[in-house]
Amino acid sequence: MSFTIDEGEMFGLVGESGSGKSTTGRCILRLIEPTSGDVMFRGENVLRVLARSGCGWRAATCRSSSRIRIRRSTRACASATSSKSRWSFTSSARRPSARARVAELFQLVGLEPSHVARYPHEFSGGQRQRIGIARALALNPALVIADEAVSALDVSIQAQVVKLLLDLKDRLKLTYLFIAHDLRLVEHICSRVAVMYWERSSRLGETGALFAQPTHPYTKALLSAIPVLDPDAPRQRIELDPSSFEQDAPLKEIGAQHWAAV
């Protein structure tokens, strides 16, 4: 698996369940240690630099609990970030208090700061998703890995959270790796997409080209499964035949900035 995400980009990673999307994201964050390969961040190998420096990249895994007030769990993330960290997106000579930081984060994601004393069960699903975003932003990240960030939400709430992610991307100059099953959503918000099949890349390129001219048989089958609005519209569902292509084929450039394993 190999791809590059440009700074400030919303990069999509799609594929069927079990293809390795979440594992890829976890390897980037070192929640899972890769058995081989490199993870390069701004010219430095994360796997080597962090092991040597002890830098707190794993602070991104701040845990929560249903018995802990939101203020405390969010404050734990805010406190985990050092202004001297090489990975901080912003730094300040005078950092606000943790309490003020939590209130600031709540406002940033569209929540009422006075609600920080509540417990997780006192919030709706959409609000809890915003809280999760606030806790991630407490780390002042440059790169955010969003793994199925809106899949469990109602469609109307999905739209609100996606709009929030895009607004924060522009306001805070964030870069996203957006992992999802919803291909229509990925088509709408991502500039480039990598398609995973059997734990490897089968297609990589600009979103528009991938949807308009799918090349790999798996990509064609995946796109044919997208639901359509008109239930009476004719469907051309493509059944994937794994024997019809070489599953271990390497990526080849088939156009400008477009690769496919064909």
Side-chain angles (χ1 to χ4, degrees):
M1 185 66 189
S2 179
F3 58 86
T4 300
I5 306 176
D6 295 330
E7 191 162 358
E9 181 180 21
M10 177 78 81
F11 186 95
L13 185 59
V14 301
E16 63 185 354
S17 296
S19 61
K21 304 184 301 298
S22 296
T23 300
T24 299
R26 289 174 177 270
C27 284
I28 293 173
L29 293 174
R30 292 188 66 199
L31 300 179
I32 297 175
E33 292 294 339
T35 53
S36 62
D38 299 308
V39 178
M40 306 300 296
F41 182 79
R42 292 178 173 170
E44 295 186 274
N45 191 335
V46 170
L47 305 183
R48 297 174 183 173
V49 172
L50 298 187
R52 183 175 65 249
S53 66
C55 180
W57 233 39
R58 294 198 186 193
T61 64
C62 290
R63 299 190 180 276
S64 183
S65 168
S66 60
R67 298 187 297 272
I68 297 177
R69 297 182 190 273
I70 293 299
R71 176 173 55 209
R72 180 180 173 187
S73 64
T74 307
R75 188 169 58 204
C77 289
S79 301
T81 308
S82 168
S83 61
K84 296 180 180 179
S85 170
R86 70 168 66 238
W87 306 108
S88 293
F89 182 74
T90 59
S91 61
S92 173
R94 297 181 60 189
R95 297 178 62 81
S97 67
R99 185 182 295 270
R101 177 61 172 158
V102 172
E104 176 189 5
L105 290 167
F106 259 55
Q107 287 183 320
L108 189 62
V109 298
L111 293 174
E112 177 57 51
S114 62
H115 294 168
V116 296
R118 293 182 177 181
Y119 291 95
H121 71 270
E122 298 180 272
F123 293 91
S124 68
Q127 289 174 323
R128 287 197 294 268
Q129 203 75 334
R130 289 172 181 263
I131 292 169
I133 296 171
R135 297 176 73 242
L137 295 179
L139 297 157
N140 295 315
L143 171 66
V144 174
I145 297 179
D147 190 355
E148 299 291 355
V150 297
S151 61
L153 303 176
D154 294 338
V155 174
S156 59
I157 305 300
Q158 280 187 8
Q160 296 176 20
V161 174
V162 168
K163 183 179 184 302
L164 172 63
L165 291 173
L166 293 174
D167 289 344
L168 293 172
K169 172 180 173 293
D170 295 334
R171 291 175 60 182
L172 303 180
K173 309 300 182 185
L174 296 175
T175 301
Y176 288 98
L177 173 59
F178 192 82
I179 301 172
H181 281 92
D182 191 334
L183 298 180
R184 286 301 180 199
L185 176 59
V186 169
E187 180 184 21
H188 178 66
I189 68 173
C190 296
S191 57
R192 291 187 301 138
V193 179
V195 180
M196 291 194 71
Y197 175 66
W198 277 29
E199 302 177 358
R200 54 188 294 120
S201 302
S202 65
R203 180 70 187 269
L204 172 63
E206 293 183 358
T207 306
L210 183 142
F211 279 81
Q213 297 177 327
T215 303
H216 194 276
Y218 176 70
T219 306
K220 293 179 180 179
L222 197 64
L223 295 181
S224 74
I226 298 177
V228 296
L229 295 178
D230 184 359
D232 297 323
R235 299 299 306 275
Q236 294 181 340
R237 183 66 183 270
I238 299 174
E239 296 293 336
L240 180 65
D241 180 8
S243 64
S244 65
F245 60 93
E246 184 182 350
Q247 297 182 9
D248 294 329
L251 286 174
K252 298 179 181 178
E253 191 166 8
I254 60 175
Q257 299 298 311
H258 292 95
W259 291 264
V262 293

